[in-house]
Amino acid sequence: FNLYPQVMKSCGVDILGMLIQPVEIFRKSWNIFKTNWLAFSKITLWLILPAVLLGLLNFFDQKTDLAFINRSVAVYLALTTLSFIISLWVDIVLIKMIWHALEQKPLEIKVLQTEAWRDTTSYLWIRVLVGLIVILGLVIFVVPGVIFRVWFALAGYIFVLEGTRGYDALKKSRALVEGRFWSVVWRWTVPFFLLYLILAAVVMIVAYPISLLVQANIFDWQNQPWWFSFWVSLIGVISLPLYHGFGIIIYKNLKENPKA
């Protein structure tokens, strides 16, 4: 008998083609985004507000030559903290919205929004755990950090969608990925790369002509104009459901196709 399939499976190679292909992941996420963009926008709008305030503060500091920087630093920190807390809530709401859209099930948005605040602390703890483990792996050696990042990439989705908390969510994520490591890496990388190219093009199509008009250097990373930073942040916020869509589709597909 032929041992080739068993050897390839042990290396994480998806030779049977059971897992969804990367382009299909992108297509499915885009279709969900296109169909539900208005509902998503009502949630991501909460992230745009702190971004606007940070952009205005940056503009004020540039116009005053940083004369009030000692006071504005505290405001920067407060707005950044507020934005981070809101981002946890937004993540939870979007994950459940995308999941229900993928499953074609109705969802009480107002109930979900209230319940999401209850889960922010546990969701934050999972993100802290993953972050600490990945950083530890990077400190020891770069490769373990990358491996840990892939192993535990689904932990947040597992918590939100299954209710599994803390380290148990990390263990479930690793169990889904193990034996299919490179297949998962491939299915994460391609959709993200395609989206990055599209978003970069959108950013430059708008920003470059404006930079020529106002004679601003958007390629000076240390002194970028405030409006460019805001535009980049806005595009990132708008596209957030697409990022989560990739992860949720991968998570669902891995669960539906358990390792042999």
Side-chain angles (χ1 to χ4, degrees):
F1 54 91
N2 190 358
L3 288 177
Y4 181 73
Q6 286 81 359
V7 173
M8 295 299 285
K9 280 184 181 180
S10 68
C11 295
V13 179
D14 180 33
I15 61 169
L16 298 180
M18 295 298 293
L19 297 183
I20 189 172
Q21 294 304 309
V23 175
E24 183 66 10
I25 294 172
F26 188 93
R27 187 189 67 80
K28 280 193 171 187
S29 185
W30 171 251
N31 285 339
I32 291 173
F33 177 80
K34 183 174 62 175
T35 304
N36 301 278
W37 69 269
L38 183 57
F40 290 151
S41 298
K42 292 177 181 178
I43 302 303
T44 56
L45 179 64
W46 291 100
L47 284 175
I48 295 175
L49 180 59
V52 170
L53 295 175
L54 284 168
L56 291 174
L57 186 60
N58 187 14
F59 175 72
F60 173 78
D61 280 339
Q62 288 184 13
K63 289 300 181 181
T64 57
D65 293 324
L66 304 179
F68 301 94
I69 190 64
N70 289 335
R71 296 180 181 178
S72 61
V73 166
V75 182
Y76 275 117
L77 291 175
L79 287 174
T80 302
T81 302
L82 176 64
S83 180
F84 177 72
I85 294 171
I86 293 175
S87 73
L88 298 173
W89 175 81
V90 168
D91 277 354
I92 295 170
V93 175
L94 286 179
I95 289 169
K96 289 196 175 182
M97 289 177 68
I98 294 167
W99 177 257
H100 279 75
L102 193 61
E103 293 282 285
Q104 297 183 339
K105 294 180 179 179
L107 180 66
E108 286 288 339
I109 300 296
K110 290 184 179 179
V111 174
L112 169 59
Q113 291 175 356
T114 303
E115 291 179 346
W117 284 117
R118 178 196 62 200
D119 295 331
T120 52
T121 303
S122 298
Y123 183 70
L124 171 61
W125 175 235
I126 287 177
R127 287 182 55 168
V128 169
L129 279 176
V130 173
L132 290 175
I133 293 172
V134 170
I135 290 172
L136 179 61
L138 291 172
V139 169
I140 296 173
F141 193 63
V142 175
V143 173
V146 174
I147 293 173
F148 295 156
R149 183 69 187 89
V150 177
W151 276 355
F152 305 132
L154 304 173
Y157 302 126
I158 290 170
F159 163 69
V160 174
L161 299 175
E162 298 182 19
T164 305
R165 297 174 179 269
Y167 188 64
D168 288 336
L170 273 65
K171 289 193 293 185
K172 278 194 173 184
S173 176
R174 177 179 174 178
L176 284 175
V177 173
E178 272 189 324
R180 300 181 284 191
F181 182 88
W182 292 112
S183 295
V184 172
V185 169
W186 176 247
R187 283 158 178 81
W188 273 108
T189 304
V190 173
F192 276 107
F193 181 71
L194 290 175
L195 183 59
Y196 173 81
L197 292 179
I198 293 171
L199 296 184
V202 171
V203 166
M204 294 308 298
I205 286 171
V206 174
Y208 189 66
I210 295 176
S211 70
L212 295 178
L213 185 65
V214 301
Q215 296 183 338
N217 184 7
I218 60 176
F219 301 106
D220 183 358
W221 305 112
Q222 294 183 337
N223 298 290
Q224 285 179 333
W226 68 270
W227 57 265
F228 179 74
S229 299
F230 172 71
W231 174 235
V232 172
S233 298
L234 180 62
I235 292 298
V237 168
I238 293 172
S239 62
L240 188 60
L242 285 166
Y243 286 101
H244 281 310
F246 299 154
I248 293 166
I249 291 167
I250 292 171
Y251 158 76
K252 182 175 185 291
N253 190 235
L254 290 173
K255 285 203 69 175
E256 291 175 347
N257 294 276
K259 298 184 292 291

